[in-house]
Amino acid sequence: MVKTTYTTEEIQALLPHRYPFALVDRIIDYVPGKQATGIKNVTFNEPHFQGHFPGRPIMPGVLIVEAMAQVGGIVLTQIDGVSGLCVFAGIDKVRFRRPVVPGDQLIMTVELLAIKRMRFGKMFGRAEVDGQLACEGELMFSVVD
């Protein structure tokens, strides 16, 4: 039987990210070698809201992209032959469609598009809030020793 959901503790067993950079609360759907869907509950207590922006907190777009990449990391770290630290090699065609604010729940779906020599690859990520597209784009990664 394939595991399709992951708790925060199980995510931490797979990814190296920790507070304040652990940006996925739970994986709600996982298809091995293909895609994962994760959630991030955005709260006012997150440190970036102190300066982004005082009186009008908006989640930085780069953190939305990072959160999508961490969901993708759940897929990558479980592919046979992939070992090492998965890092960004680039992003492409990223668009932000709506602001993400405290109280929002980000639902992020990331699909593996290609992987070469178990070292380089591309994913497509999509983040939504209340069924509205917040961000989408292609994420390129590299596996480093």
Side-chain angles (χ1 to χ4, degrees), residues 1-6 10 14 27-36 74-75 78-80:
M1 182 168 174
V2 176
K3 183 168 183 57
T4 59
T5 62
Y6 292 83
E10 291 168 326
L14 293 170
I27 296 295
I28 57 174
D29 188 41
Y30 165 68
V31 180
K34 293 188 177 181
Q35 73 175 44
I74 295 297
V75 177
Q78 298 184 85
I79 293 176
D80 286 340

Side-chain angles (χ1 to χ4, degrees), residues 27 38 85 102 107 128 132 140:
I27 296 295
L85 184 64
I107 299 177
E128 296 181 349
Q132 297 177 329
M140 279 65 75

Side-chain angles (χ1 to χ4, degrees), residues 89 112 114-116 119-123 139-142:
L112 180 64
I115 187 166
K116 294 181 180 176
R119 305 287 295 175
F120 306 98
K122 184 186 287 187
M123 304 182 117
L139 316 172
M140 279 65 75
F141 65 88
S142 176

Side-chain angles (χ1 to χ4, degrees), residues 77-103:
T77 59
Q78 298 184 85
I79 293 176
D80 286 340
V82 173
S83 65
L85 184 64
C86 300
V87 298
F88 265 129
I91 58 175
D92 200 10
K93 302 175 186 168
V94 172
R95 296 291 181 268
F96 301 99
R97 304 296 184 185
R98 82 181 288 285
V100 176
V101 300

Side-chain angles (χ1 to χ4, degrees), residues 45-63:
N45 295 324
E46 296 176 43
H48 48 267
F49 288 132
Q50 290 181 5
H52 200 270
F53 299 98
R56 187 160 185 209
I58 297 175
M59 185 173 182
V62 294
L63 294 183

